[in-house]
Amino acid sequence: ANEVLMNQYYIEAVKYYEEGYCASTESAYVESRSAWYPLNGASSLKDITLMLDHYKNCNINLIYVSIFEGTTLFESAYVPYDSRYVGNYGSYGRNNFLGAFVEEAHKRGIEVHGWTTNFFVGYSGEYNKIFDSHPEWQQKYYDGKVDSTDEMTEMNLLYLDQANPEVHEFLITFYNEVFDKFDLDGLLL
């Protein structure tokens, strides 16, 4: 009985220590002035530098750029390149929007975080290599359809099945590829 009582006191003491420590530890102050990069089809290094110079002049220090919506912004082994960004990005190469964007942003002291809607891959009626090649990955709704009319946008949105372990592995493999190739400062899922 005495041992049980001592164990309860110990647990209670640790709890009070942790509460006191957390309450008395000051957080570092970090100011974030951020923007989401609008997917506007910039297809040259000049387009990127003009936009980044604008962001820098507005004191933006963090930009979220979409890295996956069923397509991506670099030549990936797993995900098709977004055709809106086909172009020459100078020394960064052809069809390497993300590489040019990250490096040019860092030159201006701007962090870049990859942003994704994770399982969203496009709109019904549009060909999507990932979605169309893997019917077993397609999210299906209660009515058996693979698209859904979103009440907010009234668009037919396509998603990968969030409960499918193969989809999880695919996305993890893709995100590892992104971070192996690019010096992104973070990832917003």
Side-chain angles (χ1 to χ4, degrees), residues 2 8 18 23 41 58 79 83 89 98 103 137 154-155:
N2 197 17
Q8 288 175 340
E18 288 174 352
C58 293
V79 176
S83 62
Y89 295 98
L98 188 59
E103 292 302 316
W137 291 4
E154 298 182 7
M155 294 179 165

Side-chain angles (χ1 to χ4, degrees), residues 12 25 31 34 36 41 48 92 98 105 127 142 174 177 189:
E12 195 171 316
T25 302
E31 183 176 353
S34 59
W36 272 262
I48 291 173
Y92 302 103
L98 188 59
Y127 173 75
Y142 65 91
F174 170 70
E177 178 188 32
L189 298 174

Side-chain angles (χ1 to χ4, degrees), residues 79-147:
V79 176
Y81 189 75
D82 189 325
S83 62
R84 296 174 293 179
Y85 294 89
V86 169
N88 187 337
Y89 295 98
S91 62
Y92 302 103
R94 184 159 177 75
N95 298 345
N96 188 14
F97 174 90
L98 188 59
F101 193 90
V102 170
E103 292 302 316
E104 290 296 322
H106 285 168
K107 286 179 184 178
R108 290 160 177 77
I110 300 173
E111 289 185 24
V112 179
H113 291 216
W115 165 59
T116 178
T117 49
N118 229 5
F119 300 99
F120 171 72
V121 291
Y123 303 93
S124 63
E126 296 177 1
Y127 173 75
N128 182 282
K129 182 180 178 184
I130 297 166
F131 195 78
D132 294 338
S133 300
H134 296 280
E136 71 281 10
W137 291 4
Q138 297 173 359
Q139 177 174 299
K140 296 195 175 38
Y141 295 89
Y142 65 91
D143 59 2
K145 291 173 54 180
V146 296
D147 59 2

Side-chain angles (χ1 to χ4, degrees), residues 160-173:
L160 298 177
D161 183 357
Q162 301 171 26
N164 187 322
E166 290 179 15
V167 170
H168 298 177
E169 285 304 312
F170 166 75
L171 289 172
I172 290 168
T173 300

Side-chain angles (χ1 to χ4, degrees), residues 6-75:
M6 291 301 289
N7 193 31
Q8 288 175 340
Y9 287 147
Y10 172 76
I11 291 170
E12 195 171 316
V14 168
K15 178 182 158 206
Y16 287 131
Y17 167 77
E18 288 174 352
E19 286 176 3
Y21 178 77
C22 291
S24 66
T25 302
E26 189 174 331
S27 296
Y29 179 77
V30 177
E31 183 176 353
S32 176
R33 296 171 310 279
S34 59
W36 272 262
Y37 174 75
L39 295 177
N40 66 0
S43 60
S44 71
L45 184 57
K46 181 180 178 184
D47 292 342
I48 291 173
T49 57
L50 286 172
M51 176 149 308
L52 289 172
D53 288 342
H54 172 73
Y55 282 140
K56 181 67 177 174
N57 290 335
C58 293
N59 293 317
I60 298 296
N61 64 0
L62 168 62
I63 299 174
Y64 297 97
V65 63
S66 179
I67 59 169
F68 177 78
E69 289 186 354
T71 59
T72 194
L73 302 174
F74 69 98
E75 297 279 347

